[in-house]
Amino acid sequence: MLDRLGRRLGNKAAWSAFWTIAPPYLWLVLFLLLPFVLVLKISLADLKFGIPPYTSLTDLKDEAINLTLHLRGYILLFSDSLYISTYISSLKMAAVTTLWCALIGYPMAYYIARSPDSIRNVLLLAVILPFWTSLLLRVYAWVGILRSDGLLNSVLMAVGVIDAPLEIYRTDWAVYIGLVYAYLPFFILPLYANLVKLDTRLLDAAYDLGAKPWRAFVSITLPLSMPGVIAGAMLVFIPAVGEYVIPELLGGADTLMMGRIMWNEFFTNADWPMASAITVIMVLLLLIPMIIFQVNQKHRYEADRGNV
């Protein structure tokens, strides 16, 4: 009887686990895997004039199904210096943006997490408040601020800091400012969620043992907050690589980002296979490091459990 009860409980736990993880897996299949397969299929087709603007991968001829895979887009990607430079530029801009978000966002998240309850929600609201307006409107506001005759140059010249307007608008600096501004909340929020749950008794024990505040921060707070830092960095880095709106509105002609290249290939050149090949390579560039990281984290977690 006890064995039967155990099997029933085990089956119930297994079904409970299945129904818990089934919705997110279904979501990933519907909105990540299937679109990716469709884009991969188009990337292996050839360009043609018509609707749709790409050829079919299979055709029936002489009672046989022929499969034809065109690699024109991938060969161009790895042979044309423009695409290689654009990939490198996109990764560099996303990495620099993530670094600045970490440098600015960590102190902000730490301050909010250590604030009294009475003002903590107000500070969180201030972080979330920009989301209440459209990203397009917020980026347009930065256009007005960063232009040669904009608010920033007017204020700096009025107080005598500069004699001539700074050329920020339509440069990479303007794109960095826009990216950091837009994605900073994505770094702060997961890090805040991590820091606010930090057991402060560990810090009290470190102080009782004579540790300086900076030593307690480096030895306790920083290592324990790394999951929040990594989560925030991913939320900033991944969308920043393919960003389109901010480089288009704030960047110059020399600002190379994959989002702009994809837009041009899809809508200006109507070259769907080429645009799909760019998308596939970009997704793989982002997914492969994430998979390696997740596998490494899993091995470390299992090793830690083994040591316990």
Side-chain angles (χ1 to χ4, degrees), residues 101 105-125 127-128 184-199 221 224-233 235:
C101 284
Y106 199 105
M108 293 177 68
Y110 186 86
Y111 181 79
I112 295 173
R114 293 290 173 269
S115 297
D117 294 340
S118 56
I119 64 170
R120 185 181 299 168
N121 291 335
V122 177
L123 296 174
L124 276 177
L125 182 64
V127 173
I128 301 171
L184 186 59
F186 293 97
F187 188 90
I188 292 175
L189 294 176
L191 180 58
Y192 160 78
N194 178 278
L195 288 171
V196 79
K197 294 186 294 185
L198 184 68
D199 190 351
T221 304
L224 293 178
S225 65
M226 286 312 293
V229 173
I230 293 170
L235 288 176

Side-chain angles (χ1 to χ4, degrees), residues 54-74:
Y54 55 87
T55 60
S56 175
L57 297 185
T58 58
D59 63 323
L60 183 62
K61 188 177 182 181
D62 298 332
E63 299 180 349
I65 297 177
N66 299 310
L67 174 64
T68 306
L69 303 179
H70 296 272
L71 302 178
R72 178 185 63 92
Y74 294 98

Side-chain angles (χ1 to χ4, degrees), residues 89-108:
S89 175
S90 296
L91 293 174
K92 185 195 77 173
M93 297 194 84
V96 172
T97 300
T98 305
L99 178 62
W100 276 108
C101 284
L103 293 175
I104 300 171
Y106 199 105
M108 293 177 68

Side-chain angles (χ1 to χ4, degrees), residues 104-229:
I104 300 171
Y106 199 105
M108 293 177 68
Y110 186 86
Y111 181 79
I112 295 173
R114 293 290 173 269
S115 297
D117 294 340
S118 56
I119 64 170
R120 185 181 299 168
N121 291 335
V122 177
L123 296 174
L124 276 177
L125 182 64
V127 173
I128 301 171
L129 203 58
F131 291 120
W132 292 9
T133 58
S134 165
L135 172 66
L136 194 61
L137 292 177
R138 285 182 277 142
V139 177
Y140 265 122
W142 277 107
V143 173
I145 294 173
L146 299 178
R147 290 171 62 121
S148 298
D149 56 349
L151 179 63
L152 178 64
N153 278 315
S154 299
V155 171
L156 292 177
M157 293 179 71
V159 298
V161 176
I162 57 175
D163 297 325
L166 298 174
E167 294 295 334
I168 301 176
Y169 180 54
R170 290 298 184 192
T171 66
D172 286 355
W173 286 105
V175 178
Y176 283 127
I177 291 172
L179 289 173
V180 171
Y181 163 76
Y183 289 108
L184 186 59
F186 293 97
F187 188 90
I188 292 175
L189 294 176
L191 180 58
Y192 160 78
N194 178 278
L195 288 171
V196 79
K197 294 186 294 185
L198 184 68
D199 190 351
T200 55
R201 292 175 300 179
L202 297 173
L203 297 174
D204 294 336
Y207 297 145
D208 290 342
L209 293 173
K212 301 290 185 184
W214 66 268
R215 182 62 182 272
F217 174 80
V218 172
S219 302
I220 297 174
T221 304
L222 188 59
L224 293 178
S225 65
M226 286 312 293
V229 173

